[in-house]
């Protein structure tokens, strides 16, 4: 069984505090992972605005005790207090990750703006988000980024086409079951899409019967596929802060089952693009997550 841990980093606090803790855990377990970092301003305080506007989101925030989880400074960032830069303010965290052998990719520039406004942004603004993010990455790591993971698993035809022209090794923008190539209109994009295959911890943590670490680990292990690549997204702000023990327990259970931990770039290196399924990207909703996400549709051929 192969498992790729995809660590999404949405906030400054996640990068400064959550990432080093997750990296230490992974290193102590002798395993690898792929990290995707929001490069731009931390506007996560705008979540407060969402909390007021969206009843579903409010329930989720209360359920996961988000204020405790993210901290007051994060909640105010970009609202009452100026937004803080994420990657550019603590570039050494990215460099240490890269030097330690972890894969590092781009998780957008302004995470909140992308997630909340992608369909309103238009081509010029989406291009600006991408240019700023990839330029910040290059400035920090002195090499071009080869992978992109969309904030909030949200993408659209404009973003997919722009990203496809960048010649990346892959994108990981959607939820789905297997690596595929995205069909957008009449066009099949060249860049492989490697979807997240499992629900995230914040989507499942308060479901009935999942109140403790052991039951959460059992839940995940029952959903791991022995015959396919499993991609599990964890968050620097969740597993890296209050829920590190759950991640540690899951890693131990995976190791007991003989799982091989891979970086997504390694998986992509051995894929044959020509034989990947071609699938449209559809919009879907998920239990435990407010709003829509982009998902792998049924194969087009
Ligand atoms: Zn994210």
């Amino acid at each position: 069984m192969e498992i790729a841990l995809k660590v999404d980093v949405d906030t400054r606090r996640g990068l400064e505090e959550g990432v080093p803790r997750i990296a230490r855990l992974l290193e102590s377990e002798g395993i690898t992972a792929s990290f995707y970092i929001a490069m731009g301003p931390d506007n996560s305080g705008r979540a407060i605005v969402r909390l007021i506007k969206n009843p579903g989101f409010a329930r989720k925030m209360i359920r996961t005790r988000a204020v405790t989880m993210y901290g007051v400074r994060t909640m105010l960032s970009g609202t009452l207090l100026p937004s803080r830069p994420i990657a550019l303010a603590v570039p050494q965290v990215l460099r240490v990750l890269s030097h330690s052998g972890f894969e590092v990719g781009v998780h957008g520039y302004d995470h909140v703006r992308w997630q909340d406004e992608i369909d309103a942004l238009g081509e010029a603004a989406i291009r600006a988000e991408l240019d700023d993010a990839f330029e910040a990455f290059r400035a920090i790591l002195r090499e071009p980024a080869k992978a992109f993971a969309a904030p909030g698993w949200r993408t659209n035809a404009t973003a997919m086409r722009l990203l496809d022209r960048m010649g990346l090794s892959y994108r990981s923008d959607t939820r789905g079951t297997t690596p595929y190539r995205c069909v957008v209109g009449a066009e099949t994009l060249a860049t492989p899409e490697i979807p997240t295959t499992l629900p995230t911890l914040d989507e499942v943590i308060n479901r009935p019967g999942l109140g403790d670490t052991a039951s959460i680990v059992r839940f995940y292990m029952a959903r791991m596929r022995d015959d396919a690549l499993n991609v599990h997204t964890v968050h620097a702000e969740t597993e890296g802060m209050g829920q590190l023990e759950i991640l540690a327990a899951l890693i131990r259970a995976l190791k007991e089952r003989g799982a091989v931990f891979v970086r997504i770039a390694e998986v992509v290196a051995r894929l044959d693009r020509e034989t990947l399924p071609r699938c449209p990207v559809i919009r879907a909703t998920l239990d435990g997550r407010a709003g829509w996400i982009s998902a792998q549709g049924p194969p087009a051929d």
Side-chain angles (χ1 to χ4, degrees):
M1 183 210 297
E2 280 192 329
I3 172 92
L5 294 175
K6 170 179 182 278
V7 185
D8 283 359
V9 185
D10 298 358
T11 66
R12 168 81 165 269
R13 187 163 179 231
L15 185 60
E16 277 186 304
E17 298 177 32
V19 166
R21 296 181 69 201
I22 291 177
R24 274 198 300 274
L25 168 66
L26 299 172
E27 285 179 326
S28 72
E29 294 289 345
I31 63 175
T32 193
S34 305
F35 289 75
Y36 305 86
I37 295 160
M39 306 302 296
D42 184 349
N43 279 315
S44 47
R46 286 195 217 152
I48 291 172
V49 177
R50 266 194 304 213
L51 183 140
I52 294 160
K53 281 186 184 166
N54 183 331
F57 195 83
R59 276 200 303 277
K60 179 180 157 171
M61 293 294 273
I62 291 159
R63 221 173 53 208
T64 58
R65 298 182 296 281
V67 178
T68 320
M69 194 168 80
Y70 287 94
V72 171
R73 183 62 183 80
T74 298
M75 296 293 286
L76 297 180
S77 192
T79 54
L80 298 177
L81 296 173
S83 57
R84 299 191 291 179
I86 301 178
L88 287 169
V90 277
Q92 68 278 13
V93 180
L94 282 80
R95 292 184 190 127
V96 168
L97 278 179
S98 181
H99 292 159
S100 305
F102 295 112
E103 178 178 12
V104 185
V106 170
H107 190 42
Y109 187 69
D110 183 335
H111 190 289
V112 172
R113 185 177 192 221
W114 182 284
Q115 186 171 3
D116 287 359
E117 302 171 33
I118 182 166
D119 285 338
L121 287 178
E123 182 167 340
I126 289 175
R127 182 184 287 120
E129 289 285 311
L130 295 174
D131 286 349
D132 288 349
F134 281 85
E135 177 56 31
F137 184 100
R138 204 186 55 73
I140 291 169
L141 289 178
R142 311 221 181 282
E143 61 180 19
K146 299 181 185 73
F148 180 82
W153 299 277
R154 286 188 177 179
T155 191
N156 63 20
T158 304
M160 285 189 280
R161 287 195 175 106
L162 286 171
L163 282 156
D164 202 50
R165 280 182 227 145
M166 296 172 73
L168 302 176
S169 299
Y170 68 94
R171 295 180 296 107
S172 184
D173 291 348
T174 67
R175 300 297 190 91
T177 54
T178 60
Y180 65 103
R181 283 169 64 190
C182 300
V183 176
V184 179
E187 187 185 357
T188 300
L189 301 183
T191 314
E193 161 66 24
I194 315 298
T196 292
T197 65
L198 293 153
T200 59
L201 182 59
D202 60 308
E203 288 164 8
V204 307
I205 195 163
N206 278 333
R207 289 188 194 177
L210 296 183
D212 60 87
T213 299
S215 56
I216 291 169
V217 169
R218 274 197 302 276
F219 171 91
Y220 276 112
M221 293 310 292
R223 282 159 183 77
M224 295 287 170
R225 290 173 55 185
D226 287 311
D227 59 343
L229 173 69
N230 300 279
V231 179
H232 181 42
T233 298
V234 305
H235 281 94
E237 294 79 13
T238 310
E239 284 87 343
M241 310 293 273
Q243 314 291 352
L244 194 69
E245 271 313 305
I246 296 179
L247 179 60
L250 181 62
I251 288 169
R252 285 192 290 270
L254 283 160
K255 287 169 89 173
E256 273 172 33
R257 196 152 130 190
V260 177
F261 291 80
V262 292
R263 291 172 299 189
I264 296 178
E266 298 163 34
V267 175
V268 169
R270 60 174 196 250
L271 283 179
D272 175 8
R273 291 185 182 199
E274 292 312 312
T275 59
L276 286 178
R278 294 153 197 252
C279 306
V281 175
I282 60 172
R283 293 191 175 184
T285 57
L286 300 171
D287 286 347
R289 180 164 297 283
W292 61 274
I293 51 92
S294 296
Q296 178 178 13
D301 48 37

